[in-house]
């Protein structure tokens, strides 16, 4: 193993951009479909993998919403989330901030508390067994209405002890952040941390809206912010973290070749960029595979990899005390690698 791959694999990391429904591996999809009597248009794993050929975000989302239809019980959500946590524990992830899409489930009559309790059970088990710390972020599906987002937020209020933040995902084009300004204002009043997907496919204007109208604290993706120099300097100056997802960008044709990935440019412009997997089962790799793919394509240096690892804790929602401890632990371990 090269020294740099060794560094990637062994350094402690936080994952800040991960959709739990996007960790549904084909094997589990088939197993849960059988268990829950859900009809899928796939007969076997090869047919599922054949469907994972995307030309844009919407192509992927169609397959993603279909896949999550096999998730029905608290046990299903627990198994899904715990399998992810076991996987990233083996990749030396020590902190996770996980998105879930409750409307993808409540829309098909799965109760909110079934979804949340299954995921929370897994996070609790990972905390005791693996010492993985976590924050849960509930996303609104932006292709649905503002009214539906308000209803979902009202339900989430009852589970404030388990839900740390609010995010915004799904079809970006034609669903600007401004559509959700009022519901984000309400979430802010309730004390939730705020993030949003912006600038993945959407223009720099959507990143401005996410910052100025939604008042988000972190930008999910943010690639297209680089098209606007003033916006880029502002994000750098304010040290607003970007949760960047290299394999996702490649699979969803945000870039056509990993060598075009803007990650090094982001670091050179002083942005607080982090590396994440987004939907690892659909995009061909968990967090370490994302680091390795982009490291190899851009020939990132040890110093750049260390910066990215440190950024993952700096950009997290850990409190100041936890952050200091996580960074100290990071520096101690990296010094010995
Ligand atoms: N939902 C799951 N993954 C997503 C992504 N990359 N962009 C928008 N919505 C998503
Ligand atoms: Zn995402």
């Amino acid at each position: 193993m090269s020294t740099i791959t060794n560094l990637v694999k062994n350094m402690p990391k936080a994952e800040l951009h991960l959709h739990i429904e996007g960790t549904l591996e084909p094997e589990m999809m088939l197993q849960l479909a059988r268990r829950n009597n859900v009809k899928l248009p796939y007969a076997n794993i090869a047919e599922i993998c054949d469907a994972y050929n995307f030309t844009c975000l919407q192509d992927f989302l169609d397959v993603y919403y279909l896949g999550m239809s096999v998730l029905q019980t608290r046990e299903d959500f627990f198994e899904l989330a715990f399998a992810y946590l076991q996987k990233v524990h083996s990749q030396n992830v020590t902190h996770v901030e996980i998105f879930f899409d409750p409307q993808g489930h409540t829309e098909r009559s799965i109760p909110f508390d079934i979804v949340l309790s299954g995921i929370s059970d897994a996070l609790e088990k990972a905390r005791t067994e693996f010492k993985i710390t976590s924050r849960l972020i509930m996303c609104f599906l932006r292709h649905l209405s503002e009214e539906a987002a308000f209803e979902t937020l009202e339900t989430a209020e009852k589970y404030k002890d388990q839900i740390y933040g609010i995010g915004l995902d799904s079809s970006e084009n034609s669903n600007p952040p401004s559509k959700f300004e009022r519901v984000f204002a309400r979430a802010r009043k309730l004390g939730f941390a705020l993030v949003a997907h912006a600038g993945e496919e959407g223009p720099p204007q959507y990143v401005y809206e996410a910052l100025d109208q939604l008042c988000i604290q972190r930008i999910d993706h943010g690639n297209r912010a680089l098209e606007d120099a003033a916006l880029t300097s502002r994000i750098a100056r304010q040290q607003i973290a970007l949760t960047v997802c290299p394999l996702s960008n490649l699979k969803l044709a945000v870039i056509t070749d990993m060598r075009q990935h803007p990650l090094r440019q982001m670091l050179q412009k002083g942005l607080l960029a982090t590396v994440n997997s987004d939907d690892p089962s659909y995009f061909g790799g968990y967090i370490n595979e994302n680091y390795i793919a982009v490291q190899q394509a851009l020939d990132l240096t040890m110093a750049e990899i260390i910066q990215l690892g440190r950024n993952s804790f700096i950009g997290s929602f850990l409190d100041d005390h936890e952050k200091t401890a996580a960074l100290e632990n990071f520096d101690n371990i990296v010094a010995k690698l």
Side-chain angles (χ1 to χ4, degrees):
M1 203 190 301
S2 80
T3 325
I4 203 146
T5 304
N6 187 53
L7 171 66
V8 165
K9 290 186 174 173
N10 290 298
M11 70 181 186
K13 290 166 287 282
E15 176 145 65
L16 308 180
H17 186 151
L18 181 282
H19 302 263
I20 201 63
E21 295 89 348
T23 68
L24 180 62
E25 290 287 345
E27 293 78 3
M28 191 182 284
M29 193 190 290
L30 287 182
Q31 182 204 337
L32 294 182
R34 241 178 271 126
R35 187 157 96 192
N36 294 328
N37 276 319
V38 175
K39 269 232 147 318
L40 288 173
Y42 318 116
N44 51 48
I45 290 176
E47 285 187 23
I48 297 179
C49 296
D50 280 350
Y52 294 1
N53 236 317
F54 315 118
T55 57
C56 63
L57 175 59
Q58 192 58 51
D59 265 7
F60 154 69
L61 289 169
D62 294 341
V63 173
Y64 169 79
Y65 293 122
L66 179 69
M68 71 173 74
S69 68
V70 303
L71 298 163
Q72 308 250 327
T73 67
R74 178 172 181 162
E75 188 63 19
D76 298 342
F77 286 96
F78 168 80
E79 282 177 24
L80 174 77
F82 196 68
Y84 161 73
L85 291 157
Q86 265 179 316
K87 175 75 184 178
V88 295
H89 175 56
S90 78
Q91 297 199 337
N92 288 308
V93 169
T94 58
H95 177 69
V96 293
E97 301 193 354
I98 292 183
F99 296 131
F100 73 115
D101 283 332
Q103 291 163 294
H105 312 298
T106 53
E107 283 251 303
R108 48 186 187 87
S109 304
I110 309 296
F112 188 100
D113 73 298
I114 291 286
V115 180
L116 181 61
S117 57
I119 299 170
S120 290
D121 290 348
L123 292 174
E124 178 57 24
K125 190 168 160 76
R127 195 181 62 76
T128 52
E129 287 191 9
F130 306 144
K131 296 194 168 27
I132 292 181
T133 52
S134 57
R135 301 281 185 266
L136 199 49
I137 300 174
M138 179 187 87
C139 290
F140 299 130
L141 298 183
R142 67 202 305 160
H143 66 276
L144 299 180
S145 67
E146 180 198 37
E147 190 191 356
F150 264 115
E151 261 174 46
T152 306
L153 181 60
E154 203 176 308
T155 309
E157 243 190 282
K158 299 188 205 107
Y159 303 98
K160 184 92 200 336
D161 56 327
Q162 294 171 70
I163 302 172
Y164 190 84
I166 299 294
L168 184 64
D169 66 2
S170 195
S171 319
E172 188 178 13
N173 284 329
S174 310
N175 293 297
S178 51
K179 179 176 165 185
F180 297 94
E181 181 170 6
R182 291 186 298 192
V183 69
F184 267 67
R186 171 85 184 132
R188 188 162 76 253
K189 238 192 206 137
L190 294 171
F192 288 104
L194 303 177
V195 300
H197 284 52
E200 179 184 17
E201 281 189 345
Q205 172 62 25
Y206 284 20
V207 181
Y208 277 110
E209 285 185 18
L211 292 171
D212 295 332
Q213 296 183 40
L214 305 188
C215 303
I216 56 163
Q217 293 148 268
R218 195 161 74 201
I219 301 164
D220 296 315
H221 296 291
N223 300 42
R224 292 197 58 193
L226 294 183
E227 293 169 24
D228 184 314
L231 178 60
T232 305
S233 345
R234 170 185 170 185
I235 297 169
R237 194 173 56 251
Q238 298 183 345
Q239 286 292 280
I240 297 164
L242 301 185
T243 61
V244 180
C245 305
L247 288 171
S248 165
N249 293 158
L250 187 63
K251 280 292 265 185
L252 301 186
V254 168
I255 51 171
T256 54
D257 188 304
M258 192 58 90
R259 286 169 298 188
Q260 294 172 346
H261 198 281
L263 186 63
R264 169 172 276 140
Q265 251 177 287
M266 289 170 166
L267 292 176
Q268 288 176 343
K269 289 177 189 293
L271 297 170
L272 192 73
T274 63
V275 171
N276 308 273
S277 69
D278 206 2
D279 300 282
S281 160
Y282 292 91
F283 301 149
Y286 286 77
I287 191 166
N288 283 356
E289 289 77 32
N290 273 271
Y291 270 96
I292 292 165
V294 73
Q295 186 280 322
Q296 289 179 347
L298 302 181
D299 197 21
L300 296 178
T301 63
M302 303 270 267
E304 285 169 321
I305 294 295
I306 290 169
Q307 186 65 61
L308 289 164
R310 295 190 101 252
N311 286 356
S312 75
F313 294 106
I314 296 168
S316 75
F317 288 129
L318 287 168
D319 67 32
D320 287 346
H321 178 75
E322 293 170 314
K323 222 178 252 194
T324 306
L327 286 166
E328 216 177 276
N329 178 57
F330 178 92
D331 291 340
N332 286 336
I333 290 176
V334 166
K336 291 188 209 123
L337 290 176

